[in-house]
Amino acid sequence: MTDAPFQLSARGIRKGFGGVEVLHGVDLDATGGSVLALLGENGAGKSTLVKIIAGDYQPDDGRLTIAGQERTSLTPPQARDLGIRMIFQELADAPTLTVAENISLGRWPTRRGLVSWRAVKRRAAEVVEQLGVDLDLDAPVGSLSVGERQIVEIARALSDRARCLVLDEPTAALSSQEAERLFTFVRRLRDQGVALIYITHRLDEVREISDRVVVLRDGNVALEAESGSVSREQMVSAMVGRSLGEVSRPADVHQPPVDATPALRFDGAALAGEFDEVALDVHGGEVVALYGKLGSGIAEVAECAFGVRRLSAGRMELAGKAVSFRQPWDAIAAGVGFLPADRQREGAFMVRSVAENLAAPSWGPLSRRGFLTADREATAYRRWHKELNIRSRDDPRQLLATLSGGNQQKVLLGRWLERQSKVLVLVEPTRGVDVGARQEIYRAIRALAASGVAVLVATSDYEEVVQLADRALVMGRGRVVAQLADHEITTQRLTQEVGG
């Protein structure tokens, strides 16, 4: 690092797309040796702003001053030369290459026109030592955990003389232990003089990891303050323009009759290497949460309920009858709906329309004489557009990719409303979704339960459990370690039981 602290200043940044301005004269400062938390709902302008800083977009107006150099815009190579690096939520590594090779990816040291593998190893060892992290430099990156792979990406940026790192939702897919480890590295980078812009939807991280906070709302700066001087309620209010209140239990907690037949039941369920002896019941009208850290087995239990995986032992029942799904379509036909944790890769057709996405599981029922028309898909979409408060153009042909994460998730929820599923299994249903949209998704899930649907939620977010669940099962290392009901479901009890 150089002796002079790195300084990045953005002033009066404006940017529009298709005649619609999305940034309205935004100011932002990032300083070496500090962490700036950048907050805002999806669509607030965060991504547009940092992409201007990284050179991916050119502003329509305003100026950037970086390390003493004033620019009206940047290209990606210029941004890299100035020391700016983006670490995206979606990993951009090469899974089959080693840790050392990934750290030099795209910048291979050469000798006489050939890659110097000794220099590759030496460069990796130096930056890993700088980070103070213990990584096997010869291990394929694909064999590492998500948290370790993020650290490899940070190491790659540092090896290329990064002075300003933009971290986009870095803990979205991490367990609490991995998140704490990442925080340790962020603090170490800050102490080494790196400027960090930390984008997150998790408000509890702001005070823990950042020095300052900036909140964007509708393309404007709605709040700028020292992190220690601003409350969670103030941040939420700045993000959504209203107060959402404290984390609280649902008012309509459901208690099924003791003798009622569960809509979904696992009895002694096991999946080799993932979980063992899991017993759970979910009744119609009830939301049951499976809570645990990454690797606890919660996602794998949920996937078994939808036929993505098959039990190796034990029994699964729907409405009192034993079932064994060979594939997801068997589960759909039996009345089970499913939302995966990674909606973009596993649950959605991002380049297809919102109507096609919502209607996908119902093509058979919507068809007439073997033919499905766009009009029938559009009718199905309009049936749920208002009901779920999907914020989009009034156009069933609009591409799903153009919607915010929260509204994409609502479209996928609409699939199972249209399909009239009796059991709904959700894995991390609000991952990467902003505060306001989370509340709307929670209301939609509670409304589904109130209509008689049995809902099983697998989540690593304790606030989600508190706000959604009638009952909660806590899992650790593939086993249920606690069962909680009603007033027992608190953030303190959940973190205590899970060991977090």
Side-chain angles (χ1 to χ4, degrees):
M1 304 300 165
T2 61
D3 293 333
F6 178 89
Q7 294 285 342
L8 182 150
S9 174
R11 289 290 177 270
I13 301 298
R14 294 181 176 274
K15 180 65 178 177
F17 299 96
V20 178
E21 191 172 72
V22 297
L23 291 178
H24 313 300
V26 171
D27 296 344
L28 186 82
D29 293 290
T31 304
S34 71
V35 181
L36 171 68
L38 182 59
L39 310 181
E41 293 194 277
N42 290 330
K46 305 185 303 297
S47 295
T48 300
L49 179 60
V50 296
K51 285 180 178 179
I52 286 172
I53 291 170
D56 294 320
Y57 292 159
Q58 279 65 53
D60 298 330
D61 196 8
R63 69 183 189 278
L64 298 166
T65 304
I66 302 170
Q69 299 186 35
E70 186 169 316
R71 306 289 184 94
T72 56
S73 65
L74 292 170
T75 64
Q78 288 171 338
R80 285 195 296 272
D81 288 343
L82 290 168
I84 298 168
R85 299 291 184 279
M86 289 274 299
I87 308 295
F88 291 102
Q89 184 176 343
E90 299 293 332
L91 296 169
D93 55 19
T96 59
L97 299 185
T98 68
V99 169
E101 290 165 346
N102 267 272
I103 288 172
S104 284
L105 197 62
R107 299 174 298 102
W108 302 105
T110 59
R111 184 180 181 186
R112 297 175 182 174
L114 300 174
V115 174
S116 171
W117 297 109
R118 182 176 297 178
V120 167
K121 200 75 170 283
R122 184 170 58 249
R123 175 190 285 173
E126 288 172 354
V127 72
V128 164
E129 182 180 0
Q130 179 185 343
L131 277 172
V133 59
D134 183 20
L135 285 175
D136 180 358
L137 300 183
D138 295 318
V141 160
S143 69
L144 305 182
S145 69
V146 175
E148 289 171 329
R149 291 172 73 173
Q150 285 185 331
I151 291 165
V152 172
E153 291 216 26
I154 291 171
R156 185 197 311 162
L158 289 182
S159 75
D160 197 25
R161 303 180 304 281
R163 304 184 66 194
C164 177
L165 280 181
V166 182
L167 304 176
D168 181 20
E169 292 282 349
T171 60
L174 302 188
S175 68
S176 57
Q177 288 177 323
E178 285 189 310
E180 284 298 330
R181 189 183 186 196
L182 179 67
F183 293 161
T184 298
F185 297 126
V186 169
R187 295 185 189 103
R188 194 168 292 156
L189 292 171
R190 177 193 61 193
D191 294 343
Q192 292 173 2
V194 176
L196 295 117
I197 301 175
Y198 189 96
I199 301 173
T200 184
H201 283 130
R202 295 186 174 182
L203 302 186
D204 55 336
E205 295 178 348
V206 173
R207 280 186 177 230
E208 183 171 358
I209 197 60
S210 71
D211 303 295
R212 292 189 303 116
V213 57
V214 167
V215 177
L216 296 185
R217 184 174 76 243
D218 298 330
N220 294 289
V221 175
L223 174 71
E224 182 174 6
E226 298 296 317
S227 299
S229 68
V230 63
S231 68
R232 178 190 177 90
E233 291 71 33
Q234 289 171 314
M235 289 186 283
V236 170
S237 183
M239 288 170 67
V240 302
R242 64 189 188 282
S243 176
L244 293 179
E246 292 289 337
V247 177
S248 59
R249 299 282 298 131
D252 54 342
V253 172
H254 180 76
Q255 294 181 337
V258 176
D259 59 349
T261 301
L264 171 67
R265 165 175 278 174
F266 281 97
D267 185 13
L271 178 63
E274 301 294 349
F275 62 84
D276 193 31
E277 290 296 320
V278 170
L280 68 85
D281 294 340
V282 190
H283 294 79
E286 183 182 35
V287 179
V288 173
L290 276 175
Y291 172 66
K293 297 176 180 178
L294 197 70
S296 63
I298 59 171
E300 289 75 17
V301 172
E303 289 172 350
C304 285
F306 192 62
V308 177
R309 299 172 184 254
R310 298 184 68 185
L311 295 177
S312 56
R315 178 182 175 95
M316 182 171 65
E317 297 178 359
L318 284 183
K321 296 182 179 180
V323 293
S324 178
F325 300 139
R326 299 178 64 87
Q327 56 189 351
W329 182 249
D330 295 337
I332 294 172
V336 181
F338 183 72
L339 288 188
D342 190 343
R343 63 178 171 270
Q344 293 192 4
R345 293 185 180 181
E346 300 173 359
F349 308 114
M350 300 301 291
V351 297
R352 308 302 297 181
S353 72
V354 289
E356 289 173 301
N357 270 275
L358 187 142
S362 302
W363 284 340
L366 290 172
S367 299
R368 292 294 181 270
R369 297 178 182 177
F371 292 95
L372 176 65
T373 65
D375 286 345
R376 289 190 180 277
E377 290 179 324
T379 299
Y381 175 73
R382 289 196 171 99
R383 231 187 321 267
W384 306 110
H385 178 268
K386 185 176 181 180
E387 182 80 16
L388 291 171
N389 191 27
I390 299 170
R391 296 177 184 175
S392 64
R393 300 193 301 267
D394 186 20
D395 182 5
R397 296 169 298 177
Q398 183 177 356
L399 296 185
L400 185 71
T402 63
L403 272 59
S404 69
N407 286 296
Q408 291 173 10
Q409 198 74 319
K410 291 177 194 176
V411 171
L412 301 190
L413 269 176
R415 285 179 172 176
W416 309 114
L417 286 167
E418 178 64 27
R419 181 73 193 187
Q420 299 181 339
S421 300
K422 298 301 182 185
V423 175
L424 187 57
V425 181
L426 313 175
V427 184
E428 305 286 359
T430 59
R431 176 179 290 173
V433 173
D434 60 57
V435 174
R438 282 185 180 213
Q439 298 300 320
E440 292 184 348
I441 290 172
Y442 293 159
R443 282 193 289 270
I445 293 171
R446 292 298 308 180
L448 280 168
S451 71
V453 175
V455 183
L456 177 64
V457 178
T459 180
S460 58
D461 187 334
Y462 56 79
E463 289 190 1
E464 193 151 87
V465 180
V466 172
Q467 294 188 69
L468 267 179
D470 299 307
R471 292 187 294 116
L473 283 72
V474 182
M475 290 188 66
R477 297 185 179 180
R479 289 182 175 270
V480 175
V481 297
Q483 298 193 42
L484 310 175
D486 198 8
H487 65 277
E488 297 175 320
I489 304 175
T490 64
T491 56
Q492 181 179 0
R493 183 72 184 276
L494 289 166
T495 53
Q496 174 187 328
E497 295 289 357
V498 84

